[in-house]
Amino acid sequence: MKALALHWKILLGIVVGILTGLLLPYFPGFSMGNLFSIPDGKTLVIDWIKPFGTIFINLLKLIAIPLIITSLITGVAALKDISKFSRIGIRTIGFYVFTTLAATSLGLFIVNLIKPSRSLSPATKDELMALYSTDASGKIEAAFETRDSGPLQPLVDIVPDNIFEALSQNGNMLQVIFFVIFLGIGLILIKEEDAKPVVSFFHSLNEVIMKLIDLIMLGAPYGVLALMATLVVESPSVELFMALIMYSITVILGLLILIFAFYPALVKIYTKRSYKSFFQGIAPAQLLAFSTSSSAATLPVTMERVQEHLGVDEEVASFVLPVGATVNMDGTSLYQAVAAVFIANTLGMELTLGQQITVILTATLASIGSAAVPGAGMVMLVIVLSAIGVPEAGLALIFAVDRPLDMIRTVANVTSDATIAMIVGKSLGMLHDPVEKKWDDNYPAQDK
Ligand code: ASP
């Protein structure tokens, strides 16, 4: 019997996880005096299921930095000349900016069309503000730390003064990328025979790491099950969710347009690849993005899928994807645009054209500055709000539904990275046909 393709297994994990999270809390627990007891269902999920989700995410994060280092060094060194590298770089950044601006504008268009703030009653508004004001102020403080530094601080932050310090924190991905590209450029510039030992060491390490990703992915359906069960058990009440339903629908509609229409259309136009083959290739990474809410944690799988199932050369994928995971967040920018207008309108403010343009620009920049971890987009939303003069405390209004929206915007972020990797690959003649090579859809990948 043909084994189930990975994306179906992960999907099954998501469904079983949600059902577990919904049903298990009804279990009341069981105790026989001091002799024997089983805790109630909610505690069971937190104590006995949640840790497996955490282990799964830790494994993915564990592999992310080593993967960036080995694949980027191998990738840049294989380009053999700097001009090729700069061609990839310029195209990548150009496409990233283009898709992010398009996503932000789409968000703005949809929110002005639907006007979700109309559906929120003043009573619910006050309830949300009261419930989430403390949570919101935590995020606001975090954002102000970023905002209060000088205009060139983001640039300064890219250059580490100590590579070991940068390597020791997953949040410093851009610093690591900077260092590794620098090292790769050095390798291109020295004699090939001198560079060879370093390049082949990293090449072989890269192969090992790709194999480790295959192994981690064997556990993906179970990891995802644990993550989803925990999420359902820990999520806020359904009533709050329903109060924000129009806002949620607006964000989700925009994200679905990006994921199912905009990106596949770009892929079709630029690479002639079919809708089906694109989704077959990228689906496991999308499902993982959905379950982890983190493009950084998903990165190892995105790289694996884009190279081995969508046919993008390692030289391109190893640059485009790590950079994309950290700076290219179309889903986040679309969400920030919708959320900013929703909060402004709910607080009784109508935005002028100038303010709307400011939203486009700041949401694009804020999404670039958002870290690739759960909830980061909401922290940076504070910057957008303060740029248009909307009280940041309004963040409390959208807190209750942020996590599910984060899951879907992370899918958009990852899909965008994969799309641009394919387009850049195609434009440089570095995209192959995975069908011809008979790549297998199941793990472990059998074609290496
Ligand atoms: N969770 C998103 C990501 O990792 C960032 C965000 O929008 O919060 O891509």
Side-chain angles (χ1 to χ4, degrees), residues 293-296 329 332 370-378 406 409-410 413:
S293 281
S294 165
S295 336
M329 300 199 181
T332 303
S370 301
V373 295
M378 193 183 210
D406 191 4
R409 64 187 190 243
T410 310
N413 293 345

Side-chain angles (χ1 to χ4, degrees), residues 2-332:
K2 195 169 176 283
L4 214 55
L6 182 69
H7 53 271
W8 291 120
K9 288 189 199 159
I10 302 183
L11 207 57
L12 204 63
I14 291 179
V15 173
V16 176
I18 293 178
L19 289 178
T20 311
L22 286 175
L23 299 178
L24 213 54
Y26 287 106
F27 177 66
F30 179 78
S31 162
M32 282 176 57
N34 286 339
L35 270 181
F36 177 75
S37 71
I38 300 180
D40 64 273
K42 189 169 175 184
T43 317
L44 273 179
V45 173
I46 305 285
D47 286 354
W48 293 95
I49 296 185
K50 184 177 179 180
F52 292 101
T54 312
I55 292 175
F56 178 60
I57 294 220
N58 283 356
L59 281 172
L60 287 169
K61 287 190 188 159
L62 172 72
I63 216 78
I65 294 264
L67 175 70
I68 292 179
I69 297 175
T70 58
S71 67
L72 205 51
I73 290 192
T74 331
V76 176
L79 290 176
K80 296 216 171 63
D81 75 276
I82 304 279
S83 67
K84 209 165 173 188
F85 174 69
S86 54
R87 249 181 301 156
I88 294 186
I90 291 169
R91 269 165 222 221
T92 306
I93 305 296
F95 274 113
Y96 279 163
V97 173
F98 161 70
T99 56
T100 308
L101 281 173
T104 322
S105 313
L106 175 67
L108 214 50
F109 175 72
I110 296 184
V111 73
N112 281 308
L113 197 72
I114 300 184
K115 289 217 176 297
S117 60
R118 282 185 305 207
S119 69
L120 199 66
S121 72
T124 326
K125 184 190 122 194
D126 294 342
E127 189 191 347
L128 287 167
M129 291 294 271
L131 266 177
Y132 291 101
S133 61
T134 329
D135 292 331
S137 49
K139 299 260 175 195
I140 293 167
E141 251 167 56
F144 279 162
E145 276 171 26
T146 324
R147 200 194 62 167
D148 289 343
S149 36
L152 288 185
Q153 193 58 36
L155 206 61
V156 175
D157 286 343
I158 293 179
V159 186
D161 63 354
N162 182 329
I163 187 57
F164 294 102
E165 204 181 302
L167 288 174
S168 69
Q169 285 176 31
N170 282 327
N172 287 339
M173 212 98 105
L174 269 187
Q175 296 195 340
V176 175
I177 293 173
F178 172 83
F179 175 73
V180 177
I181 291 178
F182 205 29
L183 206 70
I185 291 177
L187 281 171
I188 295 180
L189 294 177
I190 62 174
K191 273 197 258 142
E192 210 175 323
E193 63 196 77
D194 290 337
K196 210 167 167 222
V198 178
V199 176
S200 45
F201 168 76
F202 281 107
H203 176 74
S204 109
L205 196 57
N206 188 237
E207 289 293 303
V208 178
I209 288 172
M210 292 299 258
K211 190 44 94 190
L212 294 186
I213 298 171
D214 285 349
L215 296 180
I216 296 172
M217 286 307 281
L218 288 176
Y222 311 99
V224 161
L225 188 158
L227 288 171
M228 296 309 295
T230 314
L231 207 70
V232 173
V233 164
E234 290 180 342
S235 63
S237 75
V238 178
E239 290 88 65
L240 282 183
F241 195 86
M242 290 316 285
L244 288 166
I245 195 77
M246 278 320 281
Y247 158 72
S248 306
I249 288 178
T250 312
V251 177
I252 293 172
L253 180 70
L255 294 174
L256 293 183
I257 293 177
L258 286 183
I259 299 167
F260 292 106
F262 184 57
Y263 301 128
L266 285 181
V267 167
K268 180 89 193 155
I269 293 167
Y270 282 95
T271 73
K272 308 271 176 297
R273 204 57 80 65
S274 77
Y275 198 85
K276 188 171 166 219
S277 77
F278 175 60
F279 280 105
Q280 262 177 357
I282 197 63
Q286 291 177 316
L287 292 170
L288 215 60
F290 181 78
S291 337
T292 61
S293 281
S294 165
S295 336
T298 313
L299 180 62
V301 180
T302 318
M303 302 237 331
E304 215 266 355
R305 298 304 297 188
V306 166
Q307 286 176 42
E308 296 186 8
H309 298 261
L310 291 173
V312 179
D313 255 7
E314 187 183 3
E315 287 88 332
V316 174
S318 67
F319 173 77
V320 177
L321 296 174
V323 173
T326 28
V327 305
N328 180 46
M329 300 199 181
D330 302 354
T332 303

